[in-house]
Amino acid sequence: GDVNAQPLFWHPEESGPGMLIVATENDTVYALNAKTGATIWEKTLGTPVPHADLPCGIIRPTVGITGTPVIDPAKGAVYLDALMRGAGGAPEHAVFALSLKDGSTLPGWPVDVSTALKAQGMTFDTPVQGERGAIAILGGTVYVPYGGHDGDCGPYHGWVVGMNLDDPHRVTSWHSEGIGAAVWSPAGISN
């Protein structure tokens, strides 16, 4: 699949050549040997959303992982947002934590952003929310920024959604009051 997220380099304290973490618009994450390019592990997270199922945007033919993931060395994990078909085929933003060792999903993850915010009485309109900015970790929380898709379609807001690394269903959030405000710079959130 196409790659819009910045690939990440990870070199654990053990020896070895390190690895490149590459996330694609096909909702697949690869860990590649940084020296040889050989696949260390590969993980498909779900079915990406066809461009035709979204109200606008320029990413084609599917939208999956667009924003740059973040690595947490302490937990040996990579965190990312994947736009995918959820239950019933509707688009869903799911935030994953994957083990750097083997790509397995860590316990308690993924978190469906819309469902987590709905439990707090908020509405996150997934089809109009794009996740392009890089993800950040600060103070034991992973922060994911959201804005709209290219074309500014639908009543999207700028969101920053945080999930506690130890209890991912403990979610915090902030969103812009105005429709069409965005938090989607590719550089992501400053910490």
Side-chain angles (χ1 to χ4, degrees):
D2 291 344
V3 176
N4 284 303
Q6 177 72 41
L8 302 174
F9 175 75
W10 169 243
H11 192 265
E13 290 189 22
E14 306 92 58
S15 59
M19 67 174 74
L20 292 176
I21 304 296
V22 181
T24 75
E25 294 292 350
N26 282 346
D27 279 341
T28 301
V29 181
Y30 298 90
L32 307 173
N33 181 298
K35 186 173 183 177
T36 67
T39 301
I40 298 169
W41 54 259
E42 174 183 336
K43 175 82 172 191
T44 299
L45 305 175
T47 302
V49 177
H51 173 266
D53 288 0
L54 298 173
C56 67
I58 58 172
I59 298 173
R60 290 183 169 85
T62 60
V63 182
I65 304 165
T66 304
T68 299
V70 65
I71 290 174
D72 179 5
K75 295 209 177 279
V78 59
Y79 297 84
L80 57 98
D81 175 273
L83 182 62
M84 54 196 250
R85 288 193 183 276
E92 167 185 303
H93 276 286
V95 178
F96 283 83
L98 304 178
S99 166
L100 287 167
K101 180 180 176 182
D102 60 10
S104 60
T105 303
L106 297 183
W109 301 86
V111 174
D112 173 5
V113 175
S114 181
T115 300
L117 292 173
K118 186 176 183 179
Q120 297 180 3
M122 293 180 259
T123 301
F124 182 88
D125 190 359
T126 300
V128 300
Q129 297 293 155
E131 198 290 303
R132 186 162 190 88
I135 295 172
I137 294 175
L138 181 65
T141 301
V142 61
Y143 292 97
V144 185
Y146 298 92
H149 299 286
D150 186 84
D152 289 337
C153 53
Y156 72 89
H157 295 269
W159 283 86
V160 177
V161 180
M163 287 117 200
N164 182 281
L165 298 180
D166 294 321
D167 181 5
H169 292 280
R170 200 167 86 205
V171 175
T172 59
S173 67
W174 172 89
H175 68 84
S176 63
E177 292 297 322
I179 293 174
V183 184
W184 71 276
S185 167
I189 301 169
S190 298
N191 58 20

